[in-house]
């Protein structure tokens, strides 16, 4: 259980275009989803926290108008990279946490397989 | 969020036990310790989580001393497929944001 999927797994786009990445929790409801970016041989960097039905909270230095996040349902969050440029090329990973339950102290998050974005 | 410190890299051989230690001096009373594994071009995978003493599951053990200022992930009899980056994370609630440290790059040699 607790599977998170991402689509697409890899995408190549031209500079100036927009790309949408989907993150889905397949067998559970997720009140909170997180978006990360990872450059080669580097650690994951948190971009934003997404709560169902409300605006995302962005980390310092992450442009909210460039990285649009929508969390319209308990099983789906989307990240849209607007007007993509080559420097946006990276590995984007989402994670989700279980809604409700008794284990509120549990720090376990479930990660998606990631999306490789290449901007040419 | 408690800051964590891990070795940047480690090498070991197939069949050996590997121990990766993480320091978290400012861990809070409610914080749990969680370890993730990440292979190249994949999302991190949950390995184990604990609060104190020892936790064991089918893939690893987690040793946490009484002061909880450090923890040790133990991988028994590693294989080549255990080559990955291992992240130690400290936090409380499932909906708290996770800040990843640099992780430990483990390289298993034949």
């Amino acid at each position: 259980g607790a599977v998170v999927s991402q689509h697409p797994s890899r995408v190549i786009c031209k500079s100036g275009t927009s790309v949408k990445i989907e993150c889905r929790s397949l067998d559970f409801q997720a009140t909170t989803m997180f978006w990360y970016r990872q450059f080669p041989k580097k650690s994951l960097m948190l971009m934003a926290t997404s709560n169902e039905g409300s605006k995302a909270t962005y980390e310092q230095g992450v442009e909210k108008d460039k990285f649009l996040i929508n969390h319209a349902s308990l099983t789906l969050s989307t990240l849209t990279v607007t007007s993509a440029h080559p420097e946006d090329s990276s590995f984007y990973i989402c994670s989700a946490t279980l809604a409700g339950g008794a284990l509120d102290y549990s720090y376990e998050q479930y990660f998606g397989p990631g999306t490789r974005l290449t901007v040419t | 969020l408690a800051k964590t410190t891990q070795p940047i890299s480690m090498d070991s051989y197939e069949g050996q036990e590997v121990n990766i230690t993480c320091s978290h001096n400012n861990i809070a009373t409610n914080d749990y310790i969680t370890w993730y594994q990440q292979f190249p071009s994949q999302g991190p995978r949950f390995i184990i989580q604990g609060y104190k003493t020892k936790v064991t599951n089918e893939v690893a053990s987690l040793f946490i001393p009484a002061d909880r200022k450090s923890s040790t992930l133990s991988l028994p009899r590693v294989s080549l497929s255990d080559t990955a980056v291992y992240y130690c994370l400290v936090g409380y609630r499932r909906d708290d944001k996770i800040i990843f440290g640099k992780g430990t790059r483990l390289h298993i040699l034949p």
Side-chain angles (χ1 to χ4, degrees):
Chain A
V3 176
V4 176
S5 71
Q6 282 184 241
H7 179 79
S9 58
R10 57 178 60 232
V11 57
I12 301 172
C13 70
K14 292 185 184 293
S15 186
T17 61
S18 295
V19 174
K20 180 185 284 188
I21 302 170
E22 291 186 349
C23 177
R24 291 183 185 272
S25 55
L26 296 185
D27 50 1
F28 67 100
Q29 293 184 326
T31 50
T32 305
M33 289 183 171
F34 301 87
W35 286 95
Y36 298 83
R37 180 167 53 180
Q38 187 175 34
F39 293 107
K41 305 252 187 213
K42 299 293 185 183
S43 184
L44 286 81
M45 186 178 71
L46 181 66
M47 299 175 66
T49 302
S50 168
N51 290 298
E52 184 264 338
S54 62
K55 290 184 178 180
T57 302
Y58 290 82
E59 295 300 301
Q60 191 172 10
V62 178
E63 299 174 58
K64 63 180 181 181
D65 294 329
K66 180 170 182 63
F67 299 99
L68 301 178
I69 292 172
N70 183 277
H71 192 161
S73 77
L74 285 172
T75 59
L76 173 65
S77 176
T78 60
L79 167 68
T80 302
V81 183
T82 63
S83 187
H85 287 96
E87 57 265 31
D88 297 323
S89 298
S90 188
F91 192 54
Y92 291 86
I93 307 170
C94 71
S95 72
T97 59
L98 284 163
L103 298 177
D104 279 341
Y105 57 80
S106 174
Y107 204 65
E108 183 174 349
Q109 292 189 8
Y110 303 96
F111 287 83
T115 297
R116 173 78 56 195
L117 171 62
T118 303
V119 185
T120 61
Chain B
L1 291 167
K3 182 183 176 183
T4 59
T5 304
Q6 306 172 232
I8 293 175
S9 65
M10 292 179 67
D11 289 341
S12 187
Y13 291 92
E14 276 193 295
Q16 295 198 331
E17 178 184 84
V18 171
N19 296 310
I20 306 173
T21 297
C22 176
S23 297
H24 28 79
N25 291 323
N26 60 338
I27 188 170
T29 303
N30 292 334
D31 285 344
Y32 278 71
I33 300 155
T34 310
W35 286 80
Y36 287 86
Q37 174 193 56
Q38 187 184 27
F39 297 112
S41 296
Q42 293 186 28
R45 183 176 74 103
F46 173 88
I47 301 175
I48 197 166
Q49 182 180 80
Y51 182 79
K52 60 180 179 181
T53 62
K54 177 184 175 182
V55 179
T56 297
N57 61 22
E58 62 274 11
V59 297
S61 294
L62 179 59
F63 297 92
I64 306 168
D67 65 6
R68 303 202 327 123
K69 292 184 183 299
S70 67
S71 59
T72 299
L73 173 72
S74 180
L75 304 172
R77 297 181 299 281
V78 292
S79 63
L80 295 175
S81 62
D82 292 315
T83 293
V85 179
Y86 292 81
Y87 295 97
C88 162
L89 295 137
V90 175
Y92 174 44
R93 252 190 285 269
R94 67 156 62 90
D95 53 354
D96 285 347
K97 61 183 180 182
I98 291 180
I99 303 298
F100 280 81
K102 296 182 179 178
T104 297
R105 194 170 294 273
L106 176 65
H107 187 204
I108 304 302
L109 303 165

